[in-house]
Amino acid sequence: MDMKILVVGGGGREHAITTALSRNTDTGIYAVMAKSNPGIARIARKVLNVKETQVAPIRDFALENGIDLAVIGPEAPLEAGIVDALEGAGIGCVGPTRAAARLETDKAFCRTMMERHGIAGCPQYRVFHGADDAVAFVRDTDRDLAIKPIGLTGGKGVRIMGEHVDTAGAVAYIREIGGDVVLEERLIGEEFTLQAFVDGRHIVPMPLVQDHKRAYTGDEGPNTGGMGSYSLADHRLPFVTERDYEKAFRIMQDAVAAMAAEGVPYRGILYGQFMNTAQGPKVIEFNARFGDPEAMNVLSLLTSDFSGMVCRMTEGTLTPGQVSFAPKATVCKYVVPAGYPEKPHAGDPIRIGDTGDALVYYANVVEEQGVLYTQTSRSLALVGLGDTLAEAEQITERAATAISGNIRHRSDIGTQAVLDRRCAHMRSLR
Ligand code: AMP
Ligand code: GLY
């Protein structure tokens, strides 16, 4: 049966989503994106180029084209109420309503919700609505804090004392962002990502992934949207024990149950970002969507029919038996414009050479007369799959070096040396 699925968003994550959906040849893909991602445009039957937060024209486009279901990639349209509008027009969505998306879009809501329901893994935190009070708190405490603007910041808004800023820098930053802020204890450990498909009631986990936020090799430099990520063939990570994993999954289940109990049932992709500490996993944040880059790791491994899963998620009938992933390791590396993230150089031509067995996902690039040009955000992602991490890393690294232009990537992501360092760090904490 022919099914029409609308995908909202134009990044690497959404290219991975459309690629996964298109493996079902009965699925017709329609796309909405601000700028035309050449990879998505090649797959889609029809494209609407408007900002992803323009809810009314997107709903009209969906109705005119007889769309059955929609998958929402980024967080901004969720916050703009796109799911409320599409569901109001009878179109089932993979993505939470605006109210349920507050799990991501309002960091104060996320923390108070966890506290109200006694959900494990919540760091000590305080919410402030005023710079003077927040500044006084920072000056009074002798502990390092994480400073988090309450609203969306594209993954670049958090400052960690002792890592990015000292006390004076923290004070200046709170004044700069205006004082609507969550201050929480600085967590020490190793980060990991657990994503899950949620149909409103059931929650089905995906393989664990580790992202790399820092701009430069060796985890140096400012935070970015994510420079790359890896996963292992057993779908776990060696610095996350079975007990840690079970705790983290339980936290996700409890969050879904809590949202339902609050009358805002959660449907969509739930992304849990955890810090594995000496005391086990703590929640850094929840996101109301796939991670970018983590979507590219897991969706490249998905062996079950994603279109069918999307259908069952909107019906509330998803079961673990309907979801399967190849037992392979993945490494994803983003190629980014020179100067990214602080002073990205846009408008430079890039050429894709021989990328071998790697999957190529387009992100923030435009194509003019057959030539690709960089924009201000991440350009292309390369994903290698292998029986071992080393095999996957080599496929990806070779492909990344086959991209030429005024660009760079992190060559260390997915290497054994980095994995060994993560494991040694975790051992030193326990
Ligand atoms: P977020 O925007 O919440 O994803 O945070 C961006 C990055 O800041 C995370 O990937 C972590 O590396 C770091 N971070 C956030 N919260 C904390 C915390 N409480 N302690 C330590 N690091 C944190
Ligand atoms: N990879 C982090 C994020 O998507 O927020």
Side-chain angles (χ1 to χ4, degrees), residues 16 40 303 309 317 319 323 346 372 388 408 411:
I40 298 175
T303 48
M309 287 166 56
T317 57
T319 61
V323 181
L372 291 176
T388 62
R408 63 176 184 87
S411 56

Side-chain angles (χ1 to χ4, degrees), residues 81-197:
I82 193 158
V83 170
D84 309 68
L86 290 172
E87 288 186 347
I91 298 165
C93 292
V94 170
T97 58
R98 189 205 312 243
R102 287 178 73 204
L103 211 44
E104 167 169 8
T105 62
D106 180 342
K107 287 191 197 298
F109 172 82
C110 171
R111 292 310 188 205
T112 54
M113 188 281 298
M114 290 182 77
E115 190 176 307
R116 273 197 298 284
H117 294 270
I119 297 176
C122 187
Q124 288 178 27
Y125 73 96
R126 289 269 308 265
V127 178
F128 293 90
H129 295 285
D132 289 344
D133 290 345
V135 163
F137 186 82
V138 168
R139 289 212 168 108
D140 273 356
T141 180
D142 50 10
R143 297 177 65 185
D144 281 340
L145 303 170
I147 301 156
K148 302 184 156 188
I150 284 177
L152 292 178
T153 59
K156 294 163 206 147
V158 174
R159 297 287 182 280
I160 311 296
M161 288 170 68
E163 212 176 299
H164 308 111
V165 289
D166 57 11
T167 302
V171 166
Y173 185 58
I174 290 167
R175 297 228 181 267
E176 180 193 322
I177 60 179
D180 281 334
V181 71
V182 178
L183 299 181
E184 60 189 34
E185 65 176 303
R186 176 189 179 190
L187 302 168
I188 305 286
E190 275 300 319
E191 289 182 43
F192 68 90
T193 301
L194 174 55
Q195 303 170 95
F197 302 102

Side-chain angles (χ1 to χ4, degrees), residues 72 87 109 135 158 168 170 192 222 226 247 252 288 290 320 358 387 413 419:
I72 316 303
E87 288 186 347
F109 172 82
V135 163
V158 174
F192 68 90
K247 273 193 190 169
M252 307 258 291
F290 280 112
D387 290 328
I413 293 169
L419 187 58

Side-chain angles (χ1 to χ4, degrees), residues 220-267:
E220 300 289 334
N223 275 350
T224 67
M227 291 295 294
S229 44
Y230 66 92
S231 69
L232 299 182
D234 66 357
H235 301 162
R236 300 294 174 88
L237 292 165
F239 49 83
V240 179
T241 65
E242 191 59 27
R243 201 174 132 82
D244 297 329
Y245 177 82
E246 273 161 21
K247 273 193 190 169
F249 188 46
R250 180 64 195 264
I251 288 169
M252 307 258 291
Q253 290 172 308
D254 288 348
V256 169
M259 294 299 283
E262 295 210 350
V264 276
Y266 189 94
R267 171 179 296 155

Side-chain angles (χ1 to χ4, degrees), residues 397-414:
E397 183 59 26
R398 235 179 277 135
T401 52
I403 314 291
S404 48
N406 190 18
I407 40 126
R408 63 176 184 87
H409 72 277
R410 269 185 65 168
S411 56
D412 59 337
I413 293 169

